[in-house]
């Protein structure tokens, strides 16, 4: 009797099922891969939109003007008060002279307008960046109530747009991810169940010759794990190419949009793919094999 | 030893409860060769399923090799099954594995060491006359040969009890007789053999103890090849 037969068999204990059911294993891996790519693509699109919104938020500044007649010490007190205000991230002081210079540089063709005034008509001002744009209106109310504040200006429509988009992204994104996850779980569990069904002979024989449930379960769990790992690795590689050669180029071609670099998201994305893939594969196998182990 | 005491079993069907066996009692001692006979639907398969603990009886008491089958815990079932070998009419061989691998499979499942498998499987294949077919897949074998592979697998873990449910159902008369002589030889080595069958000529030819079942009830139990 050939020696390698036994060794091959023992090595192949867990691989027996895969050998037995290669088409089903391929189907399971394919379904998992497609689901992960769909989920991953959606998350990447959301991240790009979210990063764009963050940048819009940073650009969306609030201007606070002290009275034109305010003294240096009053302006200094106001700066301290502004810095202590909740939700204010950065306070930048722009003196009236710096303001005039900025105006001249921004509107060079109208530079002589400033000269026509003789004395600089611009007030001192503070440019504020907020930590959370969605709390703009509450912060504006606080700022307006501060002592030594003459006027507060901000772009209400831009703020509203960012708030709305953020809200839509969160709700729609959450819903789409949830729907995709449910569909993936459903398809994968059905695929594994079908695969398990075709192995009922193998499981039945194992039970009849006195295999413990843990022994029967083990190869299927290992296979679920392998399906999860292989599916997530394939999905990750495909996602990389889709992102680099598709999404990133598309996003980059739109003015104002700066795509999130793949390097920034490579590790979390790999971790998430592996985690989702392995959990789905192992859970799918464990749940499906349970049915066959009942007495 | 196998002991059935007043065992009854009912199945739930669409038309209500159907009684499969009713008040069945018998004792089979170690080393015996026994036929359990009856027409289709008499209750033979139910008795087989109760013996291998695929089903649990509604009432009565079943003791096999020291296990109380109505009171045992699920985690004890593998150990009951390791004490017996089981052969079915449809062989239940894994078609993608070779003859050697099919027999070795039963040893691997209970965690036997590779060295032991390497020694034991060729011995079993030799015993059932298939030493030269070790590397062949089941589809390339005749029905009789496939049944002998199933028998080798059932015996490879050296069980004290062999249960065969219609083992010759798919075999022609010549192969059926050969299979019976093989089982007789195995019994002569000390293994208790219990065969469920409805083949009258075969049973009569063997001249062994026969427990006859009709409509779920034991109607006779005796030696001498008697069969209804």
């Amino acid at each position: 009797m050939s020696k390698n037969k036994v060794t091959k068999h023992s090595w192949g204990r867990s691989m027996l099922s895969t050998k037995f059911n290669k088409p089903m294993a391929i189907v399971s891996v394919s379904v998992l891969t497609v689901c992960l790519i769909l989920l991953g693509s959606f998350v990447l699109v959301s991240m790009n939109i979210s990063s764009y919104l963050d940048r819009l938020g940073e650009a969306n500044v609030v201007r606070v003007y002290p009275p034109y007649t305010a003294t240096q010490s009053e302006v200094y007190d106001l700066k301290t008060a502004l810095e202590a205000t909740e939700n204010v991230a950065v306070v930048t002081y722009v003196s009236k002279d710096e303001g005039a210079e900025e105006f001249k540089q921004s509107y060079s063709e109208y530079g002589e307008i400033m000269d026509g005034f003789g004395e600089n008509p611009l007030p001192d001002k503070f440019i504020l960046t907020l930590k959370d744009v969605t709390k703009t209106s509450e912060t504006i109310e606080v700022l307006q109530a501060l002592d030594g504040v003459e006027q507060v200006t901000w772009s209400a429509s831009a703020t509203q747009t960012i708030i709305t988009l953020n809200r839509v992204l969160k709700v729609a994104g959450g819903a789409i991810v949830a729907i995709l996850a449910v569909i993936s779980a459903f398809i994968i569990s059905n695929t594994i169940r079908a695969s398990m069904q075709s192995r009922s002979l193998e499981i039945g024989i194992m039970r009849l010759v006195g295999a413990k449930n843990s022994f029967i379960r083990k190869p299927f769990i290992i296979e679920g794990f392998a399906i999860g790992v292989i599916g997530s690795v394939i999905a990750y590689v495909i996602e990389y190419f889709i992102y680099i050669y598709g999404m990133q180029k598309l996003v980059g071609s739109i003015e104002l949009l700066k795509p999130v670099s793949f390097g920034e998201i490579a590790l979390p994305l790999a971790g998430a793919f592996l985690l989702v893939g392995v959990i789905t594969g192992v859970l799918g196998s464990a749940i499906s094999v349970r049915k066959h182990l009942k007495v | 030893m196998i002991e059935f005491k007043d065992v009854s079993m009912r199945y739930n069907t669409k038309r209500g409860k159907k009684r499969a066996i009713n008040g069945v009692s018998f004792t089979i001692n170690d080393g015996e060769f026994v036929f359990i006979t009856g027409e289709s639907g008499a209750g033979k398969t139910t008795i087989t399923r109760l013996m291998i603990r695929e089903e649990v009886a509604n009432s009565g008491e079943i003791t096999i090799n020291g296990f109380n089958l109505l009171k045992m815990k699920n985690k004890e079932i593998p150990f009951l099954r390791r004490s017996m070998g089981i052969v079915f009419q449809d062989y239940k061989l894994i078609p993608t594995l070779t003859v050697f691998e099919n027999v070795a499979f039963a040893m691997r499942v209970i965690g036997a060491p590779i060295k032991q498998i390497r020694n034991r499987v060729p011995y079993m294949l030799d015993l059932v006359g298939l030493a030269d077919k070790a590397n062949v897949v089941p589809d390339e074998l005749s029905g009789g040969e496939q049944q002998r592979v199933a028998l080798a697998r059932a015996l490879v873990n050296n069980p004290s009890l062999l249960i065969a449910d219609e083992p010759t159902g798919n075999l022609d008369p010549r192969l059926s007789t050969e299979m019976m002589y093989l089982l007789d030889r195995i019994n002569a080595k000390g293994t208790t053999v219990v065969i469920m069958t409805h083949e009258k000529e075969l049973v009569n030819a063997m001249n062994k103890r026969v427990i006859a079942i009709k409509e779920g009830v034991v109607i006779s139990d005796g030696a001498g090849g008697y069969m209804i």
Side-chain angles (χ1 to χ4, degrees):
Chain A
M1 191 54 49
S2 66
K3 190 174 164 182
N4 65 336
K5 279 283 165 195
V6 184
T7 319
K8 198 175 141 195
H9 184 85
S10 60
W11 265 104
R13 196 181 70 185
S14 67
M15 296 312 288
L16 180 69
S17 310
T18 313
K19 178 183 168 190
F20 208 39
N21 256 290
K22 217 180 253 174
M24 277 301 181
I26 292 170
V27 170
S28 298
V29 168
S30 308
V31 169
L32 184 64
T33 303
V34 171
C35 291
L36 282 175
I37 290 172
L38 282 175
L39 275 172
S41 299
F42 184 79
V43 170
L44 289 177
V45 168
S46 303
M47 282 179 74
N48 272 289
I49 295 174
S50 186
S51 137
Y52 171 62
L53 290 179
D54 284 349
R55 270 199 298 279
L56 271 186
E58 282 163 21
N60 186 40
V61 293
V62 174
R63 289 177 175 81
V64 176
Y65 298 92
Y68 188 73
T69 54
T71 63
Q72 278 302 310
S73 91
E74 283 169 340
V75 169
Y76 180 78
D77 288 347
L78 179 58
K79 185 172 190 274
T80 312
L82 291 173
E83 281 168 345
T85 305
E86 213 186 312
N87 196 33
V88 172
V90 184
V91 177
T92 312
Y93 172 66
V94 181
S95 71
K96 55 179 78 175
D97 294 338
E98 285 166 342
E101 199 53 44
E102 243 178 46
F103 184 88
K104 277 183 191 170
Q105 276 174 10
S106 302
Y107 306 100
S108 51
E109 63 268 42
Y110 305 114
E112 61 272 17
I113 293 175
M114 290 298 285
D115 299 334
F117 278 104
E119 197 184 343
N120 181 358
L122 297 175
D124 292 328
K125 68 179 171 190
F126 292 98
I127 296 174
L128 274 53
T129 307
L130 303 186
K131 288 175 191 162
D132 182 356
V133 195
T134 60
K135 290 178 185 163
T136 302
S137 50
E138 293 97 311
T139 312
I140 298 291
E141 275 176 33
V142 175
L143 293 173
Q144 281 169 333
L146 288 176
D147 282 339
V149 171
E150 173 85 7
Q151 198 184 3
V152 179
T153 64
W154 75 100
S155 172
S157 63
T159 307
Q160 198 49 50
T161 308
I162 293 165
I163 292 169
T164 312
L165 278 174
N166 251 326
R167 213 169 275 163
V168 168
L169 191 69
K170 267 183 197 155
V171 175
I176 291 172
V177 166
I179 292 167
L180 277 176
V182 169
I183 293 172
S184 315
F186 180 75
I187 296 172
I188 290 166
S189 101
N190 272 302
T191 313
I192 292 175
R193 194 171 300 152
S195 153
M196 208 67 73
Q197 202 64 43
S198 64
R199 285 177 211 160
S200 52
L201 171 70
E202 192 184 340
I203 297 174
I205 294 167
M206 283 185 180
R207 294 180 61 215
L208 287 177
V209 296
K212 289 184 190 172
N213 282 354
S214 56
F215 181 92
I216 299 172
R217 207 179 283 123
K218 207 162 140 191
F220 293 103
I221 300 290
I222 291 172
E223 194 185 273
F225 181 83
I227 285 172
V229 171
I230 295 168
S232 50
V233 168
I234 295 173
Y236 185 78
V237 171
I238 296 174
E239 191 72 69
Y240 171 81
F241 286 108
I242 290 176
Y243 192 71
I244 297 292
Y245 296 103
M247 232 184 276
Q248 216 174 35
K249 279 198 170 161
L250 186 75
V251 174
S253 68
I254 302 168
E255 212 177 333
L256 291 174
L257 292 188
K258 188 171 163 281
V260 176
S261 79
F262 194 81
E264 269 178 63
I265 48 171
L267 261 183
L269 190 71
F273 269 31
L274 208 57
L275 197 70
V276 173
V278 166
I279 288 177
T280 315
V282 169
L283 266 186
S285 288
I287 293 167
S288 306
V289 82
R290 251 183 64 148
K291 204 182 78 166
H292 292 270
L293 296 180
K294 283 179 185 161
V295 180
Chain B
M1 192 172 85
I2 301 173
E3 201 168 9
F4 270 55
K5 272 189 197 165
D6 201 21
V7 177
S8 294
M9 176 76 193
R10 290 178 302 273
Y11 289 108
N12 290 323
T13 64
K14 282 179 186 172
R15 277 188 257 164
K17 288 189 173 174
K18 184 180 176 277
R19 183 160 293 192
I21 58 169
N22 189 19
V24 168
S25 297
F26 58 80
T27 301
I28 298 172
N29 292 311
D30 290 342
E32 272 197 272
F33 189 121
V34 178
F35 286 106
I36 297 180
T37 65
E39 298 302 317
S40 290
K44 301 188 299 293
T45 299
T46 299
I47 292 174
T48 308
R49 292 175 67 80
L50 289 172
M51 281 182 179
I52 63 177
R53 196 35 168 80
E54 275 285 294
E55 302 280 356
V56 184
N58 298 116
S59 63
E61 202 176 296
I62 304 173
T63 312
I64 297 179
N65 295 340
F67 292 93
N68 184 330
L69 271 62
L70 270 77
K71 289 182 182 164
M72 73 193 303
K73 291 176 182 162
N74 282 353
K75 65 178 182 184
E76 291 175 289
I77 297 172
F79 299 100
L80 164 77
R81 290 180 182 158
R82 288 177 194 189
S83 75
M84 54 175 74
I86 307 153
V87 175
F88 290 95
Q89 181 177 353
D90 58 357
Y91 326 129
K92 295 196 191 301
L93 300 176
I94 299 174
T96 51
L97 300 184
T98 64
V99 165
F100 184 95
E101 288 168 335
N102 263 289
V103 178
F105 185 71
M107 294 188 79
R108 286 300 303 153
V109 159
I110 62 160
I114 286 177
K115 196 178 169 189
Q116 198 182 329
I117 297 175
R118 220 175 271 157
N119 293 329
R120 179 79 178 158
V121 175
Y123 169 77
M124 286 313 303
L125 291 179
D126 194 38
L127 185 73
V128 297
L130 289 173
D132 56 335
K133 305 271 180 160
N135 294 324
V136 168
V137 291
D139 283 350
E140 293 174 35
L141 299 174
S142 69
E145 287 171 329
Q146 289 192 53
Q147 193 57 294
R148 279 189 276 155
V149 177
L151 185 61
R153 185 184 60 197
L155 295 170
V156 75
N157 289 324
N158 210 12
S160 59
L161 167 65
L162 177 75
I163 298 168
D165 190 7
E166 301 281 4
T168 55
N170 286 339
L171 306 182
D172 61 37
R174 187 182 60 82
L175 289 175
S176 297
T177 308
E178 275 180 22
M179 176 60 70
M180 284 302 148
Y181 285 128
L182 187 54
L183 290 170
D184 199 24
R185 270 176 56 205
I186 287 158
N187 175 243
K189 287 175 185 282
T191 308
T192 308
V193 176
V194 180
I195 300 170
M196 318 288 165
T197 186
H198 66 277
E199 293 180 61
K200 190 175 178 178
E201 289 79 17
L202 210 60
V203 173
N204 286 337
M206 293 299 290
N207 199 24
K208 301 284 185 185
R209 177 183 168 193
V210 179
I211 299 170
I213 311 281
K214 189 177 183 184
E215 292 171 1
V217 177
V218 176
I219 55 162
S220 70
D221 183 351
Y226 171 82
M227 185 176 169
I228 52 158

